[in-house]
Amino acid sequence: MKKFDYLKPHTLEEALSLLSQYGDKARLIAGGTDAIVMNKQKKISPDVLISLQGIQGLDQIESNGTFKIGALVTHRTIEQSERIKKRFPLLAEASSVLGSVQIRNVATLGGNLCTASPSAETAPSLLVYEAEVLLVSRMEERRLSLPSFFLGPGETALDKKEILKEIILPSPPPNSLGAYLKLGRRKSVDLSVVNVAVLLTLDPKTGICERARIALGAVAPTPLRAKETEKILEGNLLDERLIIRAGDWAKQECSPITDIRGSAEYRREMVAVLVAKAIKQSVKLPRK
Amino acid sequence: MQDFINIGKRIPKMDAEDKVTGKAVYIQDLKVPGMLWGKILYSPHPHARILNMDTSAAERLPGVKAVLTGYNTPLIKFGFYKDNMPLKANKVCSYRDEVAAVAATDPDIAEEALGLIRVEYEILPAIFDPEDAMKEGALLIHEEHLGGKEKKPTNILNLPWRLVAGDVDEARKNSAHVAEDRFKLTWVNHCCMGTSGCVARFDLRNNLTIYSNTQIPALAQRDYTEALAAMGLEGKKARVIKTTIGGAFGSKLDTYAYEYIAILLAYKTRKPVKIIFTREEEFFATSPRQPAVIDIAQGCTKDGTFTFRDVRMVLDNGAYTSWGATTPSVMMMPISSLYKVPNVRYVAKCVYTNNTYSQAFRGYGNPQATFAIESQIDALAEMAGIDPLDFRMRNANTPGEVTPQHFNITTCGLRECIDVVAQKLDWRQNRGKRDGRGIGMASMIHVGGGARVYKSDGCGTIIKIDDFGTVNVITGATDMGQGADTVIAQIVAEELGVRVEDVIVTHTDTDICPWDVGAHASRTTFVAGNSARGASKKVKEQLLEVASRSLGENPENLDIRDRTIFSKLDPEKKSPLGKILRASHYTAGGRMVMAEHFYDPPNENLDREFKGNLSVTYAYGTHGVEVEVDKETGQVKILKYVAAHDVGRAINPMLLEGQVYGGAAMGIGYALTEQLILKNGKVINPDFRDYKILTAADVPNIEAVVIETDDPSGPFGAKGIGEPGLVPTAPAIANAIYDAVGVRIKELPITPEKVLAALKEKTK
Ligand SMILES: Cc1cc2nc3c(=O)[nH]c(=O)nc-3n(C[C@H](O)[C@H](O)[C@H](O)COP(=O)(O)OP(=O)(O)OC[C@H]3O[C@@H](n4cnc5c(N)ncnc54)[C@H](O)[C@@H]3O)c2cc1C
């Protein structure tokens, strides 16, 4: 691993000015569970690592008014947070299956999004919650929706001089139910072969699906929403036939590749299976 | 049953506290003054000619003390086939070929220096499929390698593995049912927690000391001594000192290029040189389990009695040869002797390719062969319309049998093992439903009383007792985490009437320890245990003789219990051990109490036909498993796992269960998740992210059932248990999957994708 300087600013302003000072030579680091691995694999070789760990407030969860999760909040905190478990259970579930306890103790939500892996654990749940990210630079702040934040594998809309400050979560409509499913080869320390989040709002009287949000991971260059599939469900009663059709639609909306973790065909097949499973699990239909 | 004080007790491993608190010194921890760091440059091609090398920039880098290549080092040939050398010149034959090495004052500088070495290659076509490499006119990996009767250039090694007993062709004609299948096994890595490494140093007289992880100190010492001779240092001595070993599992049963490179660098620089593998190197530059393509046919009569077993194998040897190429010698054991099979034929060929080369790995070929045999038994039983449980019982080995390979089966708990597994799985109730849940079983045979693979299968022990009654046991055995230190202490304590904590076991230094052929073949408890017991008996005789003088009692009337020597006739006549010893040391004309014992078991080398009683006794076992198969995802979940083993006697049930748990966990990984994936010769998953070893969360609850047959030749009745735990795991799981959903997977690992594809194929 190449030698680097390690800087630990105490304020966001300081961090931002270090970023502009060092430019391309610098790299931000939060928990380091991606950054250090990339460094060792020589995928990045910064001269300076700027840690965000010393910055006050970035590791806070705010629930008065708009719900905000600081970029430096760890997955361990998320999986154990009563507020998140209650209001955004799919995110809590996603964080709870990321890596292992040791990884979750240090790995952050912001890091997971900025790494922008197609299989990023928390992305599908944040997509169905329609989360936004707040990016700050010395000049300005901007709020982006997640689909416009993710640009490709390892690529985001983050400018070199920007820091992801927080993740903003609008409240889902009442009567929303959902599920997050991860298909891997192991029970821990495993990247998803496919992951799926589903969030459904049903009319309590008729049982008709008023609103559907479905997101898929590890089956396209970025995590993505399956919007056509959502439309199929909306306005309809969720019966077995429709659910299977939804799975088949979702299959068409993804574009997986074959890699070491699974073939494109298998992944496509699993999208159908997981979407159907997640819908059933959300509305507590018995599994066949 | 005898009343034992130390035998049969659950005593934690002696160094367990050191290990969990980080006090144990592994090779990673070892630093010696003036030490340099060595790093190796590997080939970027699977097959290429080296045209030109320029190391000048690396040599000029401050901190670099030596840069070695195949062009500026003496030729050392190593490996039992002598086809490997530490640094390759002229040609590279695989991605793990070492082309240059650097010693520098710190590891980062050494790494940087590697980047400055310029090598020009002419890329050659390469071959990765052993069946292609066997074909007439295939490109040659080693042009100078000649084979066959005509001594022509060939990729097929001169290792004609062939075992024949009875008449297989005739038996086949007379069989009511014959099953025929092809099974394919792939590479898996040992995944030792401690990566490979060593520190080599020379003294001023050019004698070598090497700190190492080896599980074969005496044989490694011989390899290093030969290397010294090749370096022009004939007659110089090699001393091997073992640090705490962070797992071996067969991976340290040979000597490797990196060790010779450390030796060459240390000699060149006159400084100690340390080489430690990164995890990535551990994955691509160490030798995995031997892959195999297995064509197998088995037949039976109408009532399900075995008629024959016919097996042909092609082994991918990789580019060089280590013990992987000799695994057929062990595969013969289950092929000839697992269940009663009157007619047996086995032929195996090892073929050079541009892949990585393989080594010993827990079971030494036995898991591969047993996967084919035991998977097919279920298919054959189905053809015959017989419950596979009844099929196995009908053909099970029994005491007193002589197998087609001339093994004398003495104690044999196979039927008991099968029986207990069937009970635990509620076999009759649960089998044959095909409802997504299924149960399966598979059995195993392995050497349990040493294995005479070399001319000697011996192990020496020296015991001395000091002034305070502390017993020093100096053994040839190697403790690599399996617990040899603790088991030997228990055996000695039992024999001498002292406590386990009175015994100190030393096993780390070839300058001190007696000779032993190494920790292989599940032989350590049996062979080193018998050796330690023999030495204990001699020491005890001396103790009683010394005591007889001070106590005024005939030695035959004396005994020792709980550190006290006493008269069996007059309990008043007694004395603490320490006092007796002090009296012996502080007397004019006094003496030391010490003894040595060399135990070489009465087993036989295999003859020219590969027959002979390889082991004094054989270990048996049966694993049973219940699985649930998700028909939508193809995922297999283990609901229940039972592992029953005939262990002779459990000297330490806690350590024994540890061996079974560890073996079964490795076996489950072998069956379901683990695979070293090679793409055109290159390992593409050299990390734990994509090499799917089970995590603690993935290992199911494993119930270990101990069957004690009290083997008369074992130390206090014990047989070997090091390897058996993973031998029958994969076929037991494959059989359970078949019972659950009716698909037979013949290639490991059984991934969800394979299960799903087979399910689709079936419903077509
Ligand atoms: C053993 C292991 C298991 C893993 N398992 C999983 C898994 O199951 N699922 C999964 O999705 N991931 C997994 N990961 C990947 C990783 O742990 C997660 O992506 C984690 O959330 C990254 O967070 P971090 O704080 O460690 O990020 P870091 O490594 O610190 O940073 C990651 C990247 O984001 C940038 N960055 C970080 N914070 C900010 C910010 N606030 N603003 C701008 N840029 C920023 C960094 O510059 C860097 O490029 C695993 C990693 C390991 C080592």
Side-chain angles (χ1 to χ4, degrees), chain B residues 400-442:
Chain B
E401 178 192 342
V402 178
T403 77
Q405 205 183 347
H406 298 176
F407 296 170
N408 297 331
I409 307 304
T410 53
T411 55
C412 170
L414 179 56
R415 279 163 182 257
E416 291 88 329
C417 290
I418 296 173
D419 208 43
V420 76
V421 164
Q423 275 174 39
K424 299 259 177 197
L425 292 178
D426 208 348
W427 187 269
R428 306 278 179 210
Q429 185 64 35
N430 287 331
R431 204 185 155 275
K433 298 208 180 100
R434 291 276 163 89
D435 59 352
R437 274 171 89 133
I439 56 173
M441 67 162 68

Side-chain angles (χ1 to χ4, degrees), chain B residues 456-462 474-478 488 514-518 523-524 526-532 535 596-601:
Chain B
S456 170
D457 190 18
C459 174
T461 309
I462 298 166
I474 307 159
T475 174
T478 288
I488 288 170
W515 189 84
D516 174 68
V517 294
R523 67 186 281 280
T524 298
F526 187 91
V527 179
N530 269 328
S531 174
E596 60 68 36
H597 186 71
F598 186 69
Y599 174 75
D600 192 9

Side-chain angles (χ1 to χ4, degrees), chain B residues 289 361-363 367 623 645 662-664 666-667 670 723-730:
Chain B
R289 185 184 289 289
F361 188 161
R362 206 175 196 173
H623 287 198
H645 285 275
M666 263 183 166
Y670 188 44
E723 294 161 283
L726 74 54
V727 174
T729 305

Side-chain angles (χ1 to χ4, degrees), chain A residues 27-35 37-38 52 71-72 75 97-99 103 106-108 110-112 114-115 119-121 158 162-164 182 189-191:
Chain A
R27 188 86 184 187
L28 294 172
I29 178 167
T33 59
D34 280 320
V37 176
M38 287 189 276
L52 300 173
L72 270 276
H75 297 287
V97 294
L98 183 145
I103 293 291
V106 293
T108 65
N112 194 227
C114 293
T115 292
S119 68
E121 203 71 60
L158 253 169
E162 281 179 319
I163 291 175
L164 165 60
K182 168 183 190 168
V189 205
D190 206 3
L191 298 184

Side-chain angles (χ1 to χ4, degrees), chain B residues 526-579:
Chain B
F526 187 91
V527 179
N530 269 328
S531 174
R533 194 176 184 196
S536 308
K537 284 183 174 160
K538 290 180 183 170
V539 157
K540 186 171 175 181
E541 257 175 48
Q542 293 180 24
L543 277 172
L544 298 187
E545 202 186 298
V546 171
S548 80
R549 267 173 266 154
S550 42
L551 292 176
E553 182 72 86
N554 279 333
E556 54 269 28
N557 296 333
L558 293 174
D559 204 350
I560 317 172
R561 191 180 300 144
D562 200 19
R563 304 164 166 167
T564 305
I565 303 191
F566 64 96
S567 162
K568 288 181 275 188
L569 305 177
D570 177 2
E572 287 305 300
K573 279 189 186 170
K574 61 175 180 188
S575 173
L577 208 53
K579 202 170 160 196

Side-chain angles (χ1 to χ4, degrees), chain B residues 21-309:
Chain B
T21 55
K23 295 269 186 258
V25 177
Y26 293 89
I27 193 75
Q28 277 72 12
D29 303 310
L30 187 73
K31 288 201 179 82
V32 297
M35 188 176 89
L36 301 175
W37 296 80
K39 288 261 181 204
I40 298 167
L41 182 70
Y42 297 93
S43 165
H45 306 293
H47 199 194
R49 215 168 289 290
I50 300 174
L51 300 179
N52 195 13
M53 271 174 108
D54 179 2
T55 58
S56 54
E59 281 159 27
R60 280 197 304 269
L61 186 72
V64 170
K65 300 294 173 188
V67 182
L68 297 182
T69 70
Y71 298 97
N72 64 10
T73 46
L75 180 66
I76 299 171
K77 292 245 174 190
F78 70 93
F80 87 96
Y81 206 66
K82 295 282 180 250
D83 59 0
N84 204 350
M85 52 236 108
L87 289 159
K88 277 66 174 176
N90 306 322
K91 202 171 111 157
V92 288
C93 298
S94 74
Y95 277 106
R96 64 184 279 195
D97 276 34
E98 302 80 2
V99 292
V102 171
T105 47
D106 96 37
D108 290 336
I109 295 175
E111 182 79 44
E112 199 184 332
L114 292 185
L116 297 174
I117 297 172
R118 296 279 160 266
V119 190
E120 211 183 306
Y121 294 96
E122 175 197 341
I123 297 173
L124 300 173
I127 201 159
F128 306 106
D129 181 335
E131 289 181 300
D132 288 345
M134 280 167 71
K135 287 184 188 141
E136 194 77 27
L139 72 88
L140 295 168
I141 313 295
H142 299 291
E143 289 86 355
E144 68 290 352
H145 177 260
L146 305 177
K149 287 198 188 79
E150 303 101 70
K151 299 266 173 277
K152 283 203 310 207
T154 174
N155 288 324
I156 302 172
L157 272 71
N158 295 308
L159 296 169
W161 301 110
R162 185 181 164 82
L163 173 77
V164 179
D167 188 338
V168 165
D169 296 320
E170 191 58 28
R172 191 181 177 121
K173 278 186 222 146
N174 300 328
S175 299
H177 307 282
V178 174
E180 265 182 287
D181 294 282
R182 171 169 266 218
F183 293 88
K184 277 189 176 172
L185 288 308
T186 188
W187 297 277
V188 287
N189 189 274
H190 306 79
C191 297
C192 300
M193 274 210 258
T195 58
S196 304
C198 66
V199 177
R201 74 198 295 184
F202 282 90
D203 69 12
L204 290 174
R205 291 163 301 284
N206 283 334
N207 292 314
L208 168 74
T209 298
I210 180 160
Y211 299 87
S212 133
N213 268 329
T214 185
Q215 59 188 106
I216 43 153
L219 301 187
Q221 182 183 35
R222 199 169 68 184
D223 286 355
Y224 302 140
T225 310
E226 279 178 20
L228 292 178
M231 290 163 64
L233 301 174
E234 284 93 355
K236 295 299 174 186
K237 294 178 180 60
R239 176 183 186 184
V240 181
I241 300 177
K242 282 177 284 173
T243 51
T244 305
I245 299 176
F249 310 108
S251 65
K252 293 158 180 85
L253 211 65
D254 204 351
T255 48
Y256 287 103
Y258 78 85
E259 295 165 296
Y260 297 104
I261 289 171
I263 292 169
L264 288 165
L265 287 170
Y267 185 60
K268 173 86 181 170
T269 59
R270 311 306 301 164
K271 297 255 188 188
V273 173
K274 176 169 185 167
I275 293 182
I276 289 286
F277 272 14
T278 61
R279 181 57 65 183
E280 192 184 357
E281 278 177 301
E282 188 74 11
F283 271 116
F284 79 79
T286 67
S287 293
R289 185 184 289 289
Q290 179 65 57
V293 180
I294 305 175
D295 288 305
I296 176 170
Q298 299 182 91
C300 67
T301 62
K302 238 159 112 182
D303 64 1
T305 306
F306 263 126
T307 47
F308 78 96
R309 187 177 284 154

